[in-house]
Amino acid sequence: MISLTKRKEAARKAAKIAHAKEYGDCIAEGLSEDDANECAQVAASLVYDRVIDGDE
């Protein structure tokens, strides 16, 4: 079983990657920087939660 500390570290890394990818995708779709950042924050939060819960 992976320790909570390692899971949190992995979750932060995965969330950072998800944020960057989603932000780029949203900008490419023509969203404003603020809207793209908001969209990316939601994606990052979902990824973080899934990693912490052990779904990824």
Side-chain angles (χ1 to χ4, degrees):
M1 179 170 239
I2 299 173
S3 72
L4 182 57
T5 302
K6 290 215 182 267
R7 191 177 295 273
K8 283 183 179 180
E9 182 180 328
R12 280 192 294 273
K13 288 179 183 179
K16 194 173 191 179
I17 292 167
H19 184 281
K21 183 188 180 314
E22 190 67 25
Y23 181 83
D25 289 350
C26 291
I27 290 293
E29 290 178 12
L31 286 157
S32 69
E33 288 183 10
D34 288 340
D35 288 343
N37 190 50
E38 186 175 331
C39 182
Q41 287 291 351
V42 170
S45 178
L46 291 171
V47 168
Y48 183 90
D49 290 346
R50 287 196 312 212
V51 172
I52 291 296
D53 292 341
D55 296 340
E56 296 258 332

